[in-house]
Amino acid sequence: MRLTLSTLGSRLGHRLVGVGAMAALAACGAGGGTRTGAIPGPAAAQVPIELDGRVDDWAGVPMLSQAAQPDGPLHAAWATDDAKWLYLSFSVRDTVSNSAMPGTLHVLIDADDNTQTGGSVFDAAGGLTGVDLSLDMSRTDKPQGNGIGAGAALRTVGAAALDAYRSAYELDVVALPTWSATRFELRIARGGAFDGFGRLGRAVRVRLVFEATSGAVSALPAARYVFATPLDTRPRANLVSAIPTKAAGSVRVVQWNVSEGSFRSPTNHAKLLAAVAPDIILLDEAYAETSDSTLADFFARPELAALGHWRFVYSRTGGRQHTVVATRDRDIRQAASMVRVEYPSGVLDSVRATAPSAAQHLFDTETKAQLSSTGAWITVGGIETLFVPLDLQSGGFFGNPQDQLRVLQSRAIRAHVQRELASGATQGATRGATRSALVIAGDFNAVGSYESIYTLQQGLDVDGSDLALSDSWRLGERTLVSWTDPKVGQFLPGRLDLTLYSDAAFERTGGFAFSSVDLTSAFAASLGIARETSAGTADHLIMVTDLRARR
């Protein structure tokens, strides 16, 4: 059975996986690695894993299990650990989203390495006795249509069945990349607060089973993993007590999805933004009634006003969700061709005609609202720079109408950007700027193909190369997560918010993803907030990228 959902974007797949994943898959096909059995702990723990959706840091990690039939949907799995986490990586035959497959991937775990506890499930596929826990990727109790699953969950195991769905946040599960790929990495807390489960023992047994919507079941061989690192049972010790400072000569570019509804009461938004001391701000999901007066009031709030004098522009398209560019103590001018960012005539109709009737309202809404994007020119280090905020269509899966709409949106924004770069750079030269550059940032919502992102990278740097993608690591963690919603819990933390920039013009001198939950209580209080403030303000983290003009 194939996992393919659509050919849309398949030529791109997941471009961040690159050569590392291809080499790993080649090793699988050649029969390299270990099929089953205990994995020697010390070798597995030599390389610290960063949850970034890439696999270069997995190169030295031994294989946990490999498919006996190379034409099946699952290819292989790898495992390693540190004092807090069990890390797993798995590869599949065809490009999919880990949260939206035509079925469910069950990561079965015998947490105590004891066949006499737990239960036995999927016996027809060889099963695994003593299963205590299943991490279900692409859960099918809330399908998206066409048999495609949605989200993830944890499930304990009874005598011979999987129990009710429970939030994967109970074991702090993270899986990246969020967009479609052929290789994924995930982490599971070794000592999480998961009632009825307890901690992972000195060794665990693991089996990956794919249960297709059709009912077909396939699996990797079961394998035993021995932890290399003793479990650290202390409470989280990596809370931060300072915000990273920017390097000399750098500007701090901040992007944030401000969560439309809550931005109507933006007191905490101002405090959280001020905490990271931005020079340039790009906001998305500002509410429909956003205006000169509402934004003037926002930037006049004491926390932001203390940083300097703010100037701003905002989109006139986007319907109920608008975008904003603001800067302090600098001039700003709205991009002339991007006051309104609209689709080319007829492009929505051409795709709407092929969409299922249930999805056609998406295209009707877009026809009325047009695009939630704009552009603004700001001079940074003598470089006239076009800043473009955006908010793309949310939801869906690889190749479905929402995914196709994201691609259309990216293409339309790209066309506006190209026109503006051609005209705006000429105007910048008249004001003494010697070069031009581009920064695009916002909520890409790329839970389907990577195509929507790559469309806004490819060839748009000033030297004709691709724009660079900024890695903003979450404070105190080794993850690139930008969105999280433990209250709902159906979808794992993801990387939805991205900053693309001209690395021909700028060097990236730093960056991070900011949430008050990652601060010590004392430091949060010194900023006039609490550790819980971010969670009550927006479900997206504040994304920071520090840039300095190349000489």
Side-chain angles (χ1 to χ4, degrees), residues 488-509:
V488 176
Q490 181 179 351
F491 291 93
L492 298 177
R495 189 183 187 189
L496 305 181
D497 306 271
L498 307 173
T499 297
L500 310 176
Y501 67 96
S502 298
D503 62 346
F506 296 111
E507 61 175 324
R508 181 184 176 278
T509 59

Side-chain angles (χ1 to χ4, degrees), residues 383-452:
I383 302 174
E384 187 79 343
T385 306
L386 177 62
F387 287 87
V388 178
L390 55 77
D391 190 279
L392 302 186
Q393 174 65 43
S394 63
F397 50 88
F398 189 86
N400 87 322
Q402 287 104 319
D403 196 29
Q404 294 181 60
L405 184 52
R406 278 189 289 271
V407 175
L408 292 182
Q409 291 171 332
S410 293
R411 290 174 180 171
I413 294 170
R414 178 187 175 94
H416 279 269
V417 166
Q418 288 177 310
R419 286 194 296 270
E420 185 61 30
L421 286 174
S423 62
T426 301
Q427 296 180 43
T430 66
R431 291 187 298 277
T434 58
R435 292 179 287 169
S436 62
L438 174 64
V439 174
I440 302 174
D443 185 356
F444 280 75
N445 274 312
V447 296
S449 70
Y450 192 76
E451 181 100 13
S452 55

Side-chain angles (χ1 to χ4, degrees), residues 22-260:
M22 297 305 104
L25 292 178
C28 295
T34 305
R35 288 184 179 270
T36 60
I39 304 301
Q46 289 177 352
V47 180
I49 297 299
E50 296 179 334
L51 263 290
D52 55 7
R54 296 185 283 263
V55 294
D56 49 325
D57 50 353
W58 286 84
V61 175
M63 189 178 292
L64 179 70
S65 185
Q66 179 181 343
Q69 300 296 325
D71 58 346
L74 299 173
H75 272 181
W78 295 257
T80 186
D81 69 84
D82 62 25
K84 291 288 188 181
W85 310 102
L86 167 64
Y87 297 95
L88 295 172
S89 178
F90 64 91
S91 60
V92 295
R93 178 177 179 182
D94 293 300
T95 305
V96 293
S97 301
N98 68 64
S99 64
M101 305 181 213
T104 297
L105 175 63
H106 303 276
V107 181
L108 305 178
I109 299 175
D110 176 4
D112 57 4
D113 193 27
N114 185 348
T115 60
Q116 303 305 309
T117 61
S120 178
V121 290
F122 299 108
D123 291 333
L128 181 65
T129 56
V131 178
D132 300 298
L133 173 73
S134 176
L135 170 60
D136 283 10
M137 308 292 291
S138 178
R139 52 190 285 188
T140 51
D141 62 321
K142 297 181 179 180
Q144 300 188 56
N146 299 326
I148 304 301
L154 295 172
R155 303 171 76 179
T156 53
V157 181
L162 295 171
D163 292 333
Y165 292 92
R166 296 169 58 171
S167 173
Y169 285 81
E170 294 185 57
L171 285 180
D172 291 329
V173 178
V174 175
L176 291 177
T178 306
W179 46 78
S180 297
T182 56
R183 175 98 181 250
F184 300 92
E185 57 181 357
L186 59 90
R187 73 174 195 194
I188 301 171
R190 294 173 60 183
F194 187 67
D195 183 41
F197 166 62
R199 298 168 178 163
L200 300 181
R202 183 67 185 85
V204 295
R205 292 185 305 132
V206 179
R207 187 165 205 190
L208 274 63
V209 177
F210 185 74
E211 183 181 17
T213 304
S214 65
V217 177
S218 55
L220 296 181
R224 184 171 181 265
Y225 179 78
V226 179
F227 285 98
T229 314
L231 173 64
D232 182 355
T233 59
R234 296 173 298 175
R236 180 176 173 182
N238 57 345
L239 297 174
V240 300
S241 56
I243 299 296
T245 57
K246 63 184 180 184
S250 299
V251 295
R252 175 153 291 178
V253 179
V254 167
Q255 176 271 323
W256 193 19
N257 180 324
V258 291
S259 294
E260 178 194 352

